[in-house]
Amino acid sequence: MQNNVEEELIKRSLGLFHDMKNGIEQEKLVKQARDIFKVIEDSPLEKSISFDDVEDVFRMTSVSLDKALQSISDEEFVIYFKSEVLTTKTYDFFFPVYCFYGFPNGFKLGYSTAIDFDRMPPEIREYFGFLWEHRFTIDTEYHRTKDEYITLKKRTAFVHLIVKANGHFKAIENARSLAEDALHIIRFLYQINLNIIDIRYKIRENKNEGGIEGIAVLPFVGGANFSKFLEEHIPILTDIFTKSNPNEIEKKIRNALRIFGIQKSMSNDQVRFVLLITCLESLLMTASDRDYILWKLAEQAAFFLGGDRRETNEYVRSAYGKRSAFVHGSTSKDGLVTRSDIDSAEELAVGLVWKLIDFMKKGYTSIQKHNNAKSIDEYIEEAKFGKHQEPKEIHKNHTSN
């Protein structure tokens, strides 16, 4: 099947290449490129190449081959197309985590690994040095000299991750997703927002470099440092993110941390609150709970967390009401989200994650009851009604005369 896909891709791409030589409108070029990409969709190649990569091949043909279109032969184009679309390459990505300092070199963070600035390839160091020199000209408010500014940037935490892809757009897409998971762990543990701002990569096979910069802005003025707390807790969450065959609870924690990290990067409190309630749902609810999610979520949280069950139950019901008021456009004052609501929802989400991790240590692997797996639903039933007792057989006593 793979060979058939590649043959069809080359055939269609040559057709578009010929149209480009004859002159083609931009709109038609994009449409034909989309038709070519449809051949890739639902094939194994979809994991390695994006539409942007395919479109870019045609946009950059003349520039990449350093020739006018009319002087490029079909053979040259096919070799070029194969190298850009059909050849898997290994990308080494480097991301600065600005405002975070002190990560030990080699420390694992999700699929990423912390790396000191001085240990990165010289080309990557040179690129960031040049970038920071330029930024200093417009970012001098908190730094007296350029050397002071650049020295601080060199101290920032960098992470390194490896991605295999055919095109650089797909490589960046996959790398950003993996890097976001790394940041979600820190966002969750430290309750602060950290952004991916600059990305730089180097391709092992051809030594080419690339990346993007200025994706976001610095989230705050200040800094956070690596600590004993992170040293102890990051490996627990990293194991959950990188496990090849996670159980149901691990999948839910992974998803919840992503939602939690996303809300941390938001500025609108209403949106943050909706995401936090969604985070709670993702931890304890399953597809079968959809029809009665409000009372089930409140009950699950109350009995699972313990403590003041009535208080937890009432809070979740109130929080869900505010969530629904915002989603459905209510302007009622009762539906307004306060900073206290955000703090309480975050505290509840964090508590549920660590409670679930503690329960996994006791052998629990799922939320719903199924097969012989220990489930949270079963635990909550026991908390409400006591342990299940098998019915005792009733024996009649017979006496003899």
Side-chain angles (χ1 to χ4, degrees):
M1 178 182 175
Q2 181 75 14
N3 289 338
N4 292 338
V5 170
E6 292 184 5
E7 288 173 7
E8 183 66 18
L9 278 173
I10 292 170
K11 176 184 172 184
R12 293 195 184 197
S13 297
L14 267 174
L16 177 51
F17 173 61
H18 293 158
D19 289 343
M20 288 165 58
K21 279 188 168 184
N22 295 327
I24 184 173
E25 294 177 2
Q26 183 64 30
E27 186 178 340
K28 288 185 178 179
L29 186 150
V30 173
K31 184 180 182 303
Q32 287 192 45
R34 288 197 181 280
D35 289 339
I36 290 170
F37 184 70
K38 287 177 181 177
V39 178
I40 293 174
E41 290 177 334
D42 300 323
S43 80
L45 272 174
E46 192 174 16
K47 294 181 180 179
S48 302
I49 200 84
S50 71
F51 167 71
D52 289 330
D53 289 312
V54 172
E55 184 184 22
D56 200 50
V57 166
F58 298 104
R59 289 185 187 277
M60 300 299 293
T61 299
S62 182
V63 174
S64 297
L65 296 180
D66 196 23
K67 281 186 175 184
L69 280 176
Q70 301 301 332
S71 62
I72 298 173
S73 67
D74 284 3
E75 182 181 5
E76 287 175 311
F77 174 79
V78 169
I79 292 172
Y80 162 66
F81 182 83
K82 284 182 175 180
S83 69
E84 296 298 312
V85 176
L86 301 179
T87 303
T88 301
K89 295 171 276 290
T90 304
Y91 293 74
D92 284 286
F93 276 90
F94 302 90
F95 296 79
V97 186
Y98 292 123
C99 299
F100 203 95
Y101 308 100
F103 250 108
N105 188 72
F107 195 87
K108 296 293 183 183
L109 182 64
Y111 282 96
S112 307
T113 304
I115 184 170
D116 294 337
F117 179 81
D118 291 337
R119 292 175 181 261
M120 294 192 298
E123 302 91 337
I124 303 297
R125 298 199 306 267
E126 183 179 347
Y127 168 81
F128 278 109
F130 177 80
L131 177 66
W132 296 333
E133 284 190 17
H134 168 69
R135 282 202 182 142
F136 177 72
T137 63
I138 55 176
D139 184 21
T140 58
E141 184 176 357
Y142 300 100
H143 308 279
R144 291 169 296 181
T145 68
K146 182 171 67 175
D147 287 344
E148 180 183 293
Y149 180 81
I150 292 177
T151 298
L152 183 65
K153 288 289 183 282
K154 287 181 178 179
R155 283 183 48 230
T156 204
F158 273 82
V159 293
H160 169 229
L161 56 88
I162 301 167
V163 169
K164 288 187 179 293
N166 293 15
H168 72 275
F169 283 107
K170 191 67 174 182
I172 290 173
E173 176 189 326
N174 292 343
R176 285 187 68 176
S177 177
L178 295 175
E180 281 288 353
D181 280 347
L183 292 191
H184 289 331
I185 291 173
I186 302 177
R187 289 166 181 157
F188 176 79
L189 292 174
Y190 256 30
Q191 305 288 297
I192 58 174
N193 177 36
L194 294 166
N195 288 332
I196 296 172
I197 297 171
D198 303 317
I199 297 172
R200 196 68 182 169
Y201 66 76
K202 184 176 180 181
I203 303 175
R204 294 185 184 182
E205 288 77 7
N206 55 27
K207 309 303 180 186
N208 287 347
E209 297 174 48
I212 48 180
E213 60 189 51
I215 306 166
V217 296
L218 289 176
F220 59 89
V221 175
N225 292 297
F226 188 79
S227 66
K228 189 71 175 176
F229 175 78
L230 290 185
E231 185 178 5
E232 292 173 353
H233 289 81
I234 283 177
I236 298 171
L237 301 181
T238 287
D239 181 60
I240 290 173
F241 268 100
T242 58
K243 189 165 287 187
S244 58
N245 188 29
N247 61 43
E248 183 188 2
I249 292 178
E250 288 166 334
K251 288 177 182 176
K252 284 184 165 292
I253 290 174
R254 187 187 295 180
N255 190 48
L257 261 61
R258 286 173 176 149
I259 298 171
F260 190 97
I262 290 169
Q263 69 82 24
K264 207 67 187 173
S265 67
M266 299 281 181
S267 59
N268 185 289
D269 283 347
Q270 304 280 356
V271 175
R272 286 185 63 192
F273 192 69
V274 169
L275 287 171
L276 281 166
I277 302 306
T278 303
C279 182
L280 299 181
E281 291 176 16
S282 71
L283 284 167
L284 292 178
M285 297 295 95
T286 60
S288 61
D289 298 322
R290 224 171 264 145
D291 294 336
Y292 50 102
I293 194 166
L294 168 56
W295 74 261
K296 182 70 181 290
L297 177 59
E299 182 185 76
Q300 291 275 79
F303 276 93
F304 184 57
L305 281 176
D308 191 331
R309 292 173 178 170
R310 184 180 296 278
E311 182 180 340
T312 303
N313 185 286
E314 289 176 355
Y315 169 75
V316 174
R317 287 174 178 269
S318 171
Y320 206 84
K322 289 194 175 190
R323 169 258 184 212
S324 298
F326 173 69
V327 168
H328 299 299
S330 171
T331 57
S332 167
K333 188 175 180 180
D334 293 337
L336 293 178
V337 173
T338 67
R339 181 49 59 125
S340 176
D341 291 325
I342 298 288
D343 292 343
S344 297
E346 284 191 339
E347 184 180 349
L348 187 57
V350 170
L352 284 173
V353 166
W354 290 116
K355 189 83 170 181
L356 285 169
I357 288 173
D358 285 342
F359 266 65
M360 282 196 294
K361 294 176 184 175
K362 301 173 185 176
Y364 287 81
T365 58
S366 67
I367 302 296
Q368 284 184 305
K369 290 191 292 184
H370 57 80
N371 300 328
N372 295 320
K374 294 180 74 173
S375 70
I376 301 303
D377 280 352
E378 189 174 23
Y379 166 80
I380 291 172
E381 277 190 21
E382 290 179 359
K384 288 192 294 184
F385 307 116
K387 288 195 175 183
H388 179 69
Q389 298 285 337
E390 292 293 335
K392 294 180 180 179
E393 186 178 351
I394 299 175
H395 297 279
K396 290 184 179 180
N397 293 324
H398 295 278
T399 57
S400 56
N401 293 329

